[in-house]
Amino acid sequence: MNPRTATVFDRKELFRAAFGLALGSLVSVGLLAGCGDDTSGDGLGGEGLGGEGAGGEGTGGDGTGGEGLGGDGTGGEGGSEAVCGDGTLDQGEACDDGNLVPGDGCSPSCAIEDELPECGNGIVEEAEVCDDGNDDDTDACLSTCEAASCGDGFVQAKVEACDDGNDDDADGCLSTCVSATCGDGIVQSGLETCDDGNDDDTDACPSNCLVASCGDGFLEAGVETCDDANADDTDACPSSCVPASCGDGFVQAGVEACDDGNADFADGCTPTCASEELPYLEDFDDGVHDLTLVSNQANVVWHLSTVKSSTAPNSLRLADPATNSYVGTGAVVGSATTPYFGVPPTGAALSVNIVKATESSNSYDKLFLQVVDVNDTVLKQQQVNGNFDQFQAVTFGVPSSLAGSYVRVRFYFDTLDGIYNTGQGIFLDDISIVADSCGNGIAGEECDDGNSVAGDGCEPTCVNTCFSGASPTSVVIDGSTGQCYATFATAASWTDAEATCVSYGGHLASVESAAENTFLRTLLTNQVFYIGGTDSAVEGTYAWTDGAAFTYSNWSSGEPNDSGGAEDCAEMLTNGTWNDGQCTTTRQYVCEDD
């Protein structure tokens, strides 16, 4: 018996002993009526301990009990009911320790507990739900002798995946003791930004439980049209999650040369996402091109042709595809214009192969190379003279004075009487526009004669020996005299031609000898051009505008004749002889440095 149990038993024995001693004393002092009297009289009970007597009228009538112990009984009107746990040992209680706590030696029913319960001894005792004899908190009975349950903080093996002792569903372990997972419909704090309970990767919360966004690799329906899970703006699906296209501002590698996000010309990038920076190359061999084509005839049009295949296949041709000629119903006018390009600081150099299978008169069938600005204003032009049915290389310089601006090169053809022509038309091939460089022979600079010889009309620095600052077709030095001349391919009236020469420090050329006449004739092949003779001051008396003596002449037979009374200006014919012509007619001209 344990000490606590022993204490309870000692208390009961002491109570019984005390009760007996008290009763004996009462008898000995005669307090119990009838003790010394007749045993059947008003004996031991008298008026008794219990008010009216412990037991009615006494044990034996008026005998021993009298009105004593038997009287009206011990529990008469002064007694009370037994209550377990009140600390008073009542009749019927083996113990009463003043509480209802089990396992302390006195049970909640006031019965003696032989031993205190011991959790973990393998015996399910009072106040224990279970006792499996171990301290393993992962089985069905915890070390506290309580049955395992979800939320107790112990993970029951093979039953629970987790148990964090709370009912918070956002901390990684659900209140059902199941580990949180993406797709369970519960958003895990710090781990997930969404969880819609499904694996649909096209909605706003894909299967990674992160709110859908561009670049996550999931195609969100109705929001994205592509998503390749990267931020590479050079592939087919840029970071906007919209398929790459020209004008979106992203340069697609291998597809676009540039993309500035707009449809403007002359800003460095064309609306088709081609670079407007040089070089520009077009050979027409792949069957496509980016030239802008215009024709005023329904049947005479620009088209890709292989007709001239014996000399250069796949060229751009202005002609009637059906008849292989450029016969129109009247004047045939057409142009082919390159894309815009930025003029480099050194200017630009154009090279192109041309067939000009038209009639020989440059006054009727005229082909020009032109530089035009964004308003299509002609900034410079050069006429392609002659008639040739084999490809010839023609060069053309875009002046450095236009550096920083955006221009285009236009091939412009105009025939005044196309209805009478039967030639094969105009062919263009192998167009090249590159940044100009001094010494390449293409005059984007002030001049470029392709050599580094000084004093030959064009200095090694690509500056004219004379007429510096002008834009002549060429500047030539007569090696025998050292005289400097400039030719201008752009036609002008005699008066305008003289004004141009004067503005650059010279005059229209004066011819003072047969040798000089022969030299000048070589400067503009097959062209009628102006020289400086005029009789506008005194009819029939010709003079040179530079003041030289008019001692040499080479008039054609019957000239000058002042035909119609309106021919006052000298021009050199293709055979080197002179004619007096109308001063308003536009012609090429030669200037001579003073």
Side-chain angles (χ1 to χ4, degrees):
M1 180 177 296
N2 63 43
R4 187 180 183 98
T5 305
T7 301
V8 173
F9 275 91
D10 290 343
R11 191 166 56 229
K12 292 198 298 184
E13 291 302 317
L14 288 172
F15 178 83
R16 290 171 179 160
F19 182 80
L21 289 174
L23 183 62
S25 298
L26 291 173
V27 172
S28 63
V29 295
L31 293 176
L32 297 178
C35 180
D37 296 333
D38 189 351
T39 57
S40 60
D42 295 327
L44 185 61
E47 298 258 339
L49 290 173
E52 295 291 318
E57 294 284 318
T59 302
D62 292 333
T64 306
E67 293 184 8
L69 185 61
D72 289 333
T74 303
E77 293 180 1
S80 62
E81 294 184 3
V83 177
C84 180
D86 60 2
T88 301
L89 185 64
D90 298 318
Q91 187 174 359
E93 294 178 337
C95 62
D96 193 323
D97 56 1
N99 64 59
L100 298 179
V101 178
D104 61 354
C106 185
S107 74
S109 61
C110 289
I112 301 299
E113 295 176 330
D114 291 338
E115 293 184 3
L116 292 173
E118 181 180 349
C119 180
N121 62 6
I123 301 172
V124 179
E125 300 174 295
E126 190 172 359
E128 295 178 336
V129 177
C130 63
D131 194 323
D132 55 2
N134 65 55
D135 58 359
D136 183 0
D137 284 326
T138 68
D139 58 16
C141 184
L142 305 180
S143 59
T144 59
C145 290
E146 297 172 304
S149 63
C150 179
D152 57 18
F154 301 107
V155 179
Q156 189 176 359
K158 298 182 180 181
V159 176
E160 299 173 332
C162 62
D163 195 322
D164 56 2
N166 64 54
D167 58 0
D168 184 358
D169 283 330
D171 61 358
C173 184
L174 305 183
S175 58
T176 57
C177 291
V178 175
S179 295
T181 59
C182 178
D184 58 17
I186 301 171
V187 178
Q188 296 302 305
S189 178
L191 298 176
E192 300 172 334
T193 54
C194 67
D195 195 320
D196 56 4
N198 65 54
D199 58 0
D200 183 359
D201 286 329
T202 68
D203 61 14
C205 184
S207 58
N208 62 0
C209 288
L210 300 175
V211 174
S213 62
C214 178
D216 60 11
F218 302 111
L219 186 63
E220 188 176 359
V223 177
E224 301 170 333
T225 48
C226 69
D227 196 319
D228 57 2
N230 65 55
D232 184 359
D233 287 328
T234 68
D235 60 14
C237 183
S239 58
S240 61
C241 288
V242 176
S245 61
C246 179
D248 60 12
F250 304 113
V251 179
Q252 189 175 0
V255 177
E256 300 172 333
C258 60
D259 196 319
D260 56 4
N262 64 53
D264 296 334
F265 286 104
D267 61 357
C269 187
T270 71
T272 58
C273 292
S275 175
E276 292 180 330
E277 304 306 320
L278 297 180
Y280 172 79
L281 305 171
E282 181 58 75
D283 59 13
F284 306 104
D285 288 343
D286 57 4
V288 297
H289 63 85
D290 54 7
L291 277 76
T292 302
L293 307 177
V294 176
S295 175
N296 71 331
Q297 299 284 322
N299 60 315
V300 182
V301 295
W302 292 98
H303 60 280
L304 292 176
S305 173
T306 58
V307 170
K308 304 294 292 186
S309 59
S310 61
T311 53
N314 302 323
S315 56
L316 185 66
R317 179 188 188 193
L318 178 65
D320 186 333
T323 64
N324 290 327
S325 70
Y326 69 104
V327 177
T329 58
V332 175
V333 179
S335 64
T337 310
T338 70
Y340 286 97
F341 60 89
V343 180
T346 57
L350 165 72
S351 175
V352 58
N353 288 328
I354 297 177
V355 166
K356 185 172 178 283
T358 64
E359 65 177 308
S360 60
S361 173
N362 294 313
S363 297
Y364 291 99
D365 291 356
K366 295 178 286 189
L367 175 63
F368 294 97
L369 305 184
Q370 300 174 330
V371 178
V372 298
D373 63 14
V374 293
N375 299 312
D376 280 341
T377 301
V378 177
L379 304 177
K380 179 183 178 181
Q381 74 175 9
Q382 173 181 313
Q383 186 170 1
V384 179
N385 295 306
N387 179 52
F388 41 93
D389 61 3
Q390 300 296 316
F391 277 99
Q392 294 186 11
V394 178
T395 61
F396 181 49
V398 179
S400 57
S401 60
L402 298 176
S405 60
Y406 282 90
V407 299
R408 297 189 289 175
V409 169
R410 182 165 64 193
F411 304 92
Y412 180 81
F413 179 71
D414 181 8
T415 174
L416 299 180
D417 56 354
I419 195 170
Y420 299 108
N421 296 302
T422 58
Q424 293 181 319
I426 304 297
F427 294 79
L428 305 176
D429 199 11
D430 298 325
I431 302 171
S432 170
I433 307 175
V434 299
D436 198 8
S437 59
C438 183
N440 65 359
I442 302 174
E445 310 89 347
E446 186 171 296
C447 66
D448 195 326
D449 57 5
N451 64 53
S452 57
V453 178
D456 62 353
C458 183
E459 299 302 305
T461 56
C462 291
V463 175
N464 292 323
T465 302
C466 58
F467 296 99
S468 180
S471 298
T473 303
S474 65
V475 172
V476 181
I477 302 295
D478 184 344
S480 63
T481 64
Q483 188 62 47
C484 185
Y485 302 92
T487 64
F488 289 82
T490 302
S493 68
W494 187 94
T495 303
D496 289 343
E498 171 64 12
T500 298
C501 293
V502 171
S503 69
Y504 293 119
H507 290 275
L508 282 170
S510 58
V511 186
E512 300 180 57
S513 67
E516 186 175 14
N517 193 84
T518 300
F519 179 78
L520 291 176
R521 183 58 271 172
T522 65
L523 299 184
L524 289 171
T525 305
N526 298 324
Q527 296 296 310
V528 176
F529 59 86
Y530 283 128
I531 54 179
T534 179
D535 67 349
S536 59
V538 179
E539 178 61 39
T541 303
Y542 271 81
W544 299 113
T545 56
D546 63 359
F550 204 93
T551 57
Y552 170 80
S553 66
N554 191 32
W555 294 106
S556 184
S557 177
E559 302 297 341
N561 61 7
D562 194 27
S563 178
E567 295 183 334
D568 297 322
C569 295
E571 56 191 20
M572 186 177 290
L573 303 180
T574 57
N575 62 4
T577 61
W578 305 351
N579 175 60
D580 62 335
Q582 295 184 9
C583 298
T584 56
T585 302
T586 58
R587 299 211 183 278
Q588 297 181 52
Y589 53 98
V590 176
C591 295
E592 182 178 2
D593 189 29
D594 288 344

